[in-house]
Amino acid sequence: MKKKMAIFGAVLAVLIAVLIFVVNYQNNQKTADNPYGKETLDQATIDQLDDPMYQNQVTPDELKEQINSGEPTTVYFYSPTCIHCQRTTPVVVPMVQELGIDMKKLNLLEFESLWNEYEIEGTPTIVHYENGEETARISGEQSVDAFDEFFHQEVLKDAPDKPEE
């Protein structure tokens, strides 16, 4: 009986090892050439790599450069593990696409040091910058109307060539 248990245990250990190898291999394939410029990513981020809702990612250096250029910049600070972000993303991403807003996304799970640098108190947070300065911010899970008002009054206010609803 002990011999059968030992064989069963050995087979189980080999199966677990093979499973770990396969998952790691698949994750390594997915993370090659990722938009974060990092070799290792949190599993929640890996799970979103192919999701169209989470494209248009920006790295910290790219964001700093864009803001410092003075160009109007809208940034969606989020975390893949945030339940409020998971409910907000499907609302705001189609909205900004329809409005013609180039909203950059910054994953705070991958760049935790940016919470303090950009004074983010919770996710999701959308911040709009003009001339290198923050001009507007909306935080938390909000109604569709609240996001619509934010984008029209704060982001599109000086852009008459942007489509209106």
Side-chain angles (χ1 to χ4, degrees):
M1 186 65 148
K2 288 183 181 181
K3 191 173 185 180
K4 285 184 180 180
M5 290 298 282
I7 292 172
F8 177 74
V11 169
L12 187 59
V14 168
L15 288 175
I16 290 172
V18 168
L19 182 61
I20 291 170
F21 173 78
V22 169
V23 169
N24 284 337
Y25 178 77
Q26 289 175 335
N27 284 344
N28 287 337
Q29 294 292 87
K30 275 184 147 180
T31 59
D33 300 324
N34 69 72
Y36 300 95
K38 297 173 71 176
E39 287 187 29
T40 58
L41 299 173
D42 187 277
Q43 186 62 48
T45 298
I46 293 170
D47 294 341
Q48 291 181 341
L49 285 174
D50 296 328
D51 188 331
M53 292 284 175
Y54 295 96
Q55 303 308 305
N56 209 22
Q57 294 289 327
V58 65
T59 64
D61 291 340
E62 292 167 340
L63 178 58
K64 193 173 288 189
E65 185 178 317
Q66 176 120 14
I67 292 170
N68 290 338
S69 76
E71 292 179 45
T73 304
T74 304
V75 186
Y76 179 54
F77 293 93
Y78 76 99
S79 171
T81 59
C82 166
I83 190 69
H84 304 290
C85 299
Q86 293 167 8
R87 290 191 295 246
T88 299
T89 301
V91 172
V92 299
V93 169
M95 186 180 290
V96 297
Q97 289 172 341
E98 185 176 312
L99 294 171
I101 297 169
D102 180 24
M103 183 176 73
K104 304 296 184 191
K105 296 178 192 80
L106 195 130
N107 181 336
L108 290 169
L109 183 62
E110 295 300 332
F111 303 108
E112 291 183 3
S113 66
L114 299 184
W115 283 85
N116 291 333
E117 186 173 336
Y118 290 96
E119 299 175 1
I120 305 300
E121 295 179 6
T123 55
T125 296
I126 301 173
V127 182
H128 185 68
Y129 299 89
E130 292 181 19
N131 301 315
E133 300 292 324
E134 178 180 332
T135 59
R137 175 182 294 232
I138 187 170
S139 298
E141 187 175 352
Q142 304 284 330
S143 68
V144 172
D145 291 339
F147 285 119
D148 187 63
E149 183 177 323
F150 173 80
F151 290 125
H152 279 93
Q153 292 185 0
E154 303 296 341
V155 178
L156 296 174
K157 66 181 180 219
D158 296 324
D161 59 332
K162 296 287 183 191
E164 292 291 322
E165 282 194 293

